[in-house]
Amino acid sequence: MAVRLVLAVIGVSLSMFACGNSGAEGGSPSVATVEIYSGRPNPSWTLDKSARSAVVAAVDGLRVDEGLKPPDEGRLGFRWIEVTGLDTSHGRVARAKVAPRVVALELSADRRMVLLADPESRTLQELLRHAAGHVDADVLNLIRQQIR
């Protein structure tokens, strides 16, 4: 009986340790995907802790604007960078679509869409800063041109 108890405690401890190192709060890593291609894989990468913190800080500094239009899904070329698994002041985010001048958050709790004004595209710029080494430089330059 004592051996089972010790093994159970060790198992719980290991589970807690593994969850604590999974990459994001809430147990899942934050993955960024550049939505740019049609018919071929889009570049993506896992955000490290400092990148995730910087993106969350940028999102937390934005205000809700119900008058905004969500990013255009029918647009050809670069549409947005999608980020999963963020914990923000607006709530736990299932998906964030970070586009020039607007960030659309799909909240995990109720799948409600929250539109945030980002007139200087700071959130997108922060993601681009952390994309170096994960995304082709020509793609990053194309996105930077669209921000201007």
Side-chain angles (χ1 to χ4, degrees):
M1 183 68 165
V3 172
R4 285 186 186 162
L5 180 60
V6 168
L7 290 176
V9 169
I10 290 171
V12 169
S13 298
L14 288 174
S15 295
M16 290 171 60
F17 177 76
C19 288
N21 289 318
S22 64
E25 299 195 25
S28 61
S30 294
V31 176
T33 303
V34 179
E35 296 293 330
I36 191 167
Y37 300 126
S38 177
R40 66 186 241 204
N42 287 308
S44 67
W45 73 100
T46 301
L47 298 178
D48 62 25
K49 187 175 182 176
S50 68
R52 186 177 55 253
S53 295
V55 171
V56 168
V59 168
D60 284 349
L62 302 177
R63 65 176 175 74
V64 175
D65 186 341
E66 298 294 332
L68 289 173
K69 292 182 182 177
D72 184 4
E73 296 197 23
R75 176 186 173 121
L76 294 177
F78 173 69
R79 292 174 293 284
W80 56 76
I81 297 178
E82 181 175 293
V83 184
T84 60
L86 296 175
D87 287 308
T88 72
S89 63
H90 304 281
R92 175 86 175 146
V93 176
R95 289 186 312 158
K97 293 179 180 178
V98 181
R101 292 170 281 294
V102 64
V103 176
L105 305 178
E106 181 184 325
L107 301 181
S108 296
D110 56 8
R111 297 297 191 216
R112 180 172 47 101
M113 189 66 67
V114 176
L115 298 174
L116 307 173
D118 192 356
E120 296 175 20
S121 299
R122 287 190 177 144
T123 310
L124 186 54
Q125 290 177 31
E126 193 62 49
L127 282 165
L128 292 176
R129 193 169 70 80
H130 292 282
H134 303 285
V135 179
D136 184 73
D138 290 337
V139 170
L140 295 177
N141 288 333
L142 174 76
I143 297 169
R144 285 185 184 105
Q145 289 174 1
Q146 290 187 16
I147 294 174
R148 295 182 189 135

